[in-house]
Amino acid sequence: MPSSDSSASTSVDTTVSSQFLGLFVVLVACFSSGFSGVYFEKLVKSSPQSLWIRNIQLALFSIILGSLAIYMQDSKAVAEHGFFQGYYTTTWIVIFLQAFGGLVVSTVIKYADNILKGFATSVSIVLSTVCSYYLLGDFEPTDMFFIGATIVIIATMLYGYPVKKPDKYSAPSNREKIVER
């Protein structure tokens, strides 16, 4: 949602066609992300290979595609200044955090499920933005943030809430009466 900041000098194109295009793109991203998550969970849980072998296989594909992108876009800069040009301590910290996060995600999917991973990611985003507000002071929450954060927190609580099993001595429901007939 675009913010209603009057000091912004750029105008936001909110025509109906661009809104539908944006909604379509978001839906495609949601479905492809959900499909890939479920497929990855099936792949990790049903294959005889270990989790480490699967991670190495995924890493090989990303190395090949990343190397191709580097060759196509930055080959001159890499040839002149080397591959690790512009790498600072912060860059290395981010690289190690991303690698560690990938290992954690694959472990969560192996021993839990994709839905739990989605909730963990959502809660992580909410906690990161709260930390950014209090520790760094570079985030100003809006009403839409509070609505989204509330939905994430409620959904996470509902998912973890234990389902009450019906008492075997209670009166049968209408569905149970129909099944008995």
Side-chain angles (χ1 to χ4, degrees):
M1 300 285 302
S3 63
S4 60
D5 187 13
S6 60
S7 66
S9 62
T10 59
S11 64
V12 177
D13 183 23
T14 58
T15 61
V16 174
S17 64
S18 66
Q19 288 176 350
F20 280 120
L21 178 63
L23 179 64
F24 175 74
V25 169
V26 167
L27 287 174
V28 168
C30 288
F31 281 112
S32 65
S33 174
F35 174 75
S36 65
V38 170
Y39 181 73
F40 180 66
E41 181 179 354
K42 179 188 179 304
L43 189 71
V44 166
K45 289 186 177 181
S46 66
S47 73
Q49 283 88 17
S50 72
L51 191 60
W52 292 103
I53 297 296
R54 286 292 177 201
N55 280 330
I56 290 170
Q57 289 172 341
L58 288 172
L60 288 176
F61 280 109
S62 58
I63 288 171
I64 291 169
L65 293 175
S67 299
L68 183 64
I70 290 170
Y71 177 74
M72 292 175 64
Q73 293 192 354
D74 293 330
S75 59
K76 289 181 183 178
V78 170
E80 288 178 20
H81 305 290
F83 183 78
F84 296 109
Q85 62 177 338
Y87 278 48
Y88 301 105
T89 305
T90 309
T91 310
W92 285 108
I93 291 171
V94 169
I95 289 170
F96 287 119
L97 285 175
Q98 290 291 325
F100 180 71
L103 294 173
V104 169
V105 165
S106 62
T107 305
V108 166
I109 289 180
K110 174 76 174 180
Y111 298 107
D113 63 4
N114 194 34
I115 296 172
L116 189 61
K117 178 222 161 232
F119 282 129
T121 302
S122 301
V123 170
S124 167
I125 291 169
V126 171
L127 289 176
S128 296
T129 52
V130 168
C131 288
S132 178
Y133 176 74
Y134 286 111
L135 299 176
L136 302 175
D138 63 351
F139 174 70
E140 191 64 35
T142 62
D143 293 340
M144 294 305 284
F145 170 77
F146 286 116
I147 291 170
T150 303
I151 290 171
V152 165
I153 292 167
I154 290 172
T156 305
M157 289 172 47
L158 288 175
Y159 183 74
Y161 190 72
V163 178
K164 292 184 179 179
K165 303 228 182 208
D167 187 19
K168 66 179 182 178
Y169 298 110
S170 64
S173 65
N174 288 337
R175 183 169 182 241
E176 290 171 347
K177 289 178 185 176
I178 294 172
V179 171
E180 288 177 1
R181 291 183 193 166

